[in-house]
Amino acid sequence: MTIAVFPGSFDPLTNGHLDLIRRASRLFDQLIVAVGQNTSKASVFTPTERVAFIEANVQDLPNVKVQIESGLTVSFMRQKQATALVRGLRNGTDFEYEQGIAGMNRSLAPEIETVCLLADSQYQFVSSSLLKEVARFGGDLSNLVPPVVAAALVDRLESGRTRD
């Protein structure tokens, strides 16, 4: 059985993330969406909230599991016996960033292969910082995030609360 891990902060979960999850779920026997913490940014949602958002939107994908991870992704992958690391690429900047990470991961765990999926063109411009800015000023997020995420994001940003 081929197990893959799609790691990310998913803060917030976007339709672009969901597209990548759906596409990756067709490539592997099991896909684990690993919800982590971006230590360089303040989170809007807790890891538990992010897991709940993802689980609610992948119920129709029986080979997808969602789990919280901390620490090195390759350590998490070894624990789960995963051999493929899935990453999404929106543009050349993402490629350069992911290339460095893939090199480090290969150095740490040569048995793990990085698989990059190109973002669908309708999501190539979407980033969490842009979404947060649009939500903060009342812009329409309906085509960019699941409805439950849009409502929660607006509510959280209006209240001024963020989570770690």
Side-chain angles (χ1 to χ4, degrees), residues 63-102:
N63 66 327
V64 175
K65 295 181 179 181
V66 186
Q67 299 178 355
I68 294 172
E69 69 125 337
S70 60
L72 290 175
T73 299
V74 293
S75 298
F76 177 82
M77 292 180 68
R78 283 180 170 149
Q79 177 189 9
K80 302 299 179 184
Q81 300 179 333
T83 57
L85 178 87
V86 175
R87 299 299 294 159
L89 300 177
R90 295 171 297 175
N91 52 42
T93 302
D94 280 358
F95 174 79
E96 289 183 13
Y97 176 75
E98 294 298 339
Q99 186 177 29
I101 292 174

Side-chain angles (χ1 to χ4, degrees), residues 14-16 122-123 125-126 131 140-146 150:
T14 71
N15 290 341
Q122 66 182 321
Y123 304 121
F125 64 92
V126 177
L131 288 173
D140 181 13
L141 299 175
S142 61
N143 291 327
L144 305 175
V145 299

Side-chain angles (χ1 to χ4, degrees), residues 2-124:
T2 305
I3 302 170
V5 170
F6 180 32
S9 60
F10 306 102
D11 187 47
L13 174 68
T14 71
N15 290 341
H17 291 134
L18 289 172
D19 178 61
L20 292 170
I21 291 167
R22 289 185 187 291
R23 290 166 47 206
S25 74
R26 294 191 303 259
L27 299 175
F28 303 100
D29 297 316
Q30 182 179 68
L31 178 67
I32 301 169
V33 179
V35 176
Q37 180 68 35
N38 185 335
T39 56
S40 64
K41 295 181 182 177
S43 297
V44 175
F45 299 110
T46 67
T48 303
E49 289 171 319
R50 289 179 266 152
V51 166
F53 291 145
I54 299 167
E55 286 178 339
N57 283 278
V58 299
Q59 292 176 354
D60 61 324
L61 302 173
N63 66 327
V64 175
K65 295 181 179 181
V66 186
Q67 299 178 355
I68 294 172
E69 69 125 337
S70 60
L72 290 175
T73 299
V74 293
S75 298
F76 177 82
M77 292 180 68
R78 283 180 170 149
Q79 177 189 9
K80 302 299 179 184
Q81 300 179 333
T83 57
L85 178 87
V86 175
R87 299 299 294 159
L89 300 177
R90 295 171 297 175
N91 52 42
T93 302
D94 280 358
F95 174 79
E96 289 183 13
Y97 176 75
E98 294 298 339
Q99 186 177 29
I101 292 174
M104 179 57 74
N105 287 339
R106 187 155 222 33
S107 172
L108 296 171
E111 73 278 11
I112 293 173
E113 199 62 53
T114 299
V115 177
C116 294
L117 299 176
L118 297 178
D120 187 292
S121 60
Q122 66 182 321
Y123 304 121
Q124 286 178 344

